[in-house]
Amino acid sequence: MKALGCSDAAVDAVAGSRLGRSLVNEDFWFTVLRFFANNPMLDPRQIGPIVDYLQNQRFEPVEVEIEPGNWRSDPPAQPSLSMNGRTVDTLLKQVDAWHQSLGKLRNLPSGQYEKAPFDGIVIEKRRGDKIERWVIRQLLSAKDLQVESDDLRHCVASYHWSCARGYTQPGQ
């Protein structure tokens, strides 16, 4: 990204997104990195949400409940999505619309997800005079996911359909 002329803030934003962990579908993602480089006025705080939106639209199958407990996987919403001709304004409007659609998860069925065979994890670490404490707990319903999504300002609520089907890993 530095070779493309991206700012340190943009590089850090990409490194903090899913692209910082995996660059599967590298040809497509390189066009996205070029888009970021060609739009230096793009607020780096928008990079993570853009990456999540593009991943969802181009690569994530759409889970459809045909009847209670019976699911079908449809192709991704936009499997041919490309960065050609995209503008920052249009892309940000699409990301906002997608995030708003995720907010509609509040209307999902209120059933519980299957509980994992552990009760969670608590990690404590002393830093000087203070103790930092992290609590990892399982989210057991669409409402739990939505609250977490709202608190983190993240699209974690989009995992509802995978959780409802009992999937525990991405791509399952």
Side-chain angles (χ1 to χ4, degrees):
M1 287 188 66
K2 291 302 281 181
L4 293 171
C6 290
S7 69
D8 289 341
V11 171
D12 290 345
V14 169
S17 75
R18 71 183 306 113
L19 298 182
R21 297 180 301 279
S22 172
L23 200 58
V24 175
N25 301 302
E26 171 178 325
D27 291 340
F28 170 73
W29 290 114
F30 189 72
T31 68
V32 174
L33 298 179
R34 248 187 274 141
F35 177 84
F36 294 150
N38 292 336
N39 292 283
M41 297 304 292
L42 173 66
D43 182 344
R45 292 175 296 185
Q46 297 294 335
I47 289 176
I50 289 171
V51 168
D52 289 343
Y53 166 75
L54 295 172
Q55 172 70 25
N56 177 273
Q57 296 298 295
R58 182 166 172 145
F59 301 109
E60 301 296 325
V62 176
E63 302 295 328
V64 178
E65 188 171 23
I66 313 169
E67 57 187 54
N70 190 4
W71 298 83
R72 172 182 81 222
S73 285
D74 285 349
Q78 299 183 62
S80 300
L81 181 144
S82 80
M83 298 308 291
N84 292 336
R86 291 200 179 267
T87 66
V88 170
D89 288 339
T90 300
L91 183 57
L92 290 176
K93 286 177 185 170
Q94 292 168 337
V95 171
D96 285 343
W98 177 65
H99 275 122
Q100 287 176 3
S101 74
L102 293 178
K104 294 178 183 172
L105 290 174
R106 286 179 173 83
N107 299 326
L108 290 172
S110 59
Q112 297 289 307
Y113 306 140
E114 185 176 335
K115 187 172 181 341
F118 66 91
D119 290 325
I121 301 168
V122 177
I123 301 169
E124 291 184 347
K125 184 173 184 176
R126 181 172 295 281
R127 292 201 185 248
D129 294 338
K130 295 184 179 183
I131 295 178
E132 291 181 349
R133 186 172 193 233
W134 293 277
V135 177
I136 301 171
R137 66 177 180 86
Q138 183 180 3
L139 304 177
L140 294 171
S141 69
K143 181 177 179 173
D144 289 345
L145 275 176
Q146 188 62 57
V147 168
E148 187 81 2
S149 187
D150 291 347
D151 287 350
L152 296 177
R153 294 189 176 129
H154 192 280
C155 59
V156 70
S158 66
Y159 293 116
H160 167 73
W161 299 113
S162 294
C163 295
R165 292 180 81 172
Y167 292 165
T168 59
Q169 298 176 20
Q172 222 182 2

